[in-house]
Amino acid sequence: KHSFPVLYFEQYYRGAVGALVVFDISKATSFENLDKWLGELNEHADPHCCIMIVGNKVDLKHLREVTSDEGRTLAGLLLFKL
């Protein structure tokens, strides 16, 4: 369920030609929430919207919870170019 009215999302994504979806590599829940955010984009953004997924905070190697392989696997499953 959305925490904001659906109209909010439609207005937010209207006219977008690209989206940068960022997750925190030091928090697995951030990575797990990608499905939610990509679903929002698929539902409300233009079907030709260019989407890029980025893992942030790579300098926090000692706190890493999401591996590079996990990110690559997800990107491959979603047919993103690596």
Side-chain angles (χ1 to χ4, degrees):
K1 186 172 180 174
H2 302 298
S3 57
F4 297 101
V6 173
L7 288 176
Y8 171 81
F9 286 109
E10 290 173 358
Q11 290 173 352
Y12 186 75
Y13 294 117
R14 186 179 301 139
V17 295
L20 188 62
V21 183
V22 181
F23 69 94
D24 182 344
I25 64 134
S26 68
K27 294 185 178 160
T29 55
S30 176
F31 183 73
E32 293 161 4
N33 286 333
L34 285 175
D35 281 343
K36 173 189 168 199
W37 294 112
L38 293 171
E40 293 288 344
L41 281 166
N42 286 330
E43 186 175 340
H44 300 292
D46 183 282
H48 298 18
C49 181
C50 181
I51 301 170
M52 182 180 292
I53 300 173
V54 177
N56 193 21
K57 299 187 182 178
V58 296
D59 56 317
L60 302 178
K61 291 178 174 54
H62 61 290
L63 298 176
R64 182 183 280 269
E65 292 183 3
V66 181
T67 67
S68 297
D69 285 341
E70 289 173 306
R72 284 189 197 100
T73 299
L74 177 66
L77 291 172
L78 298 174
L79 303 176
F80 281 81
K81 290 183 181 178
L82 300 174

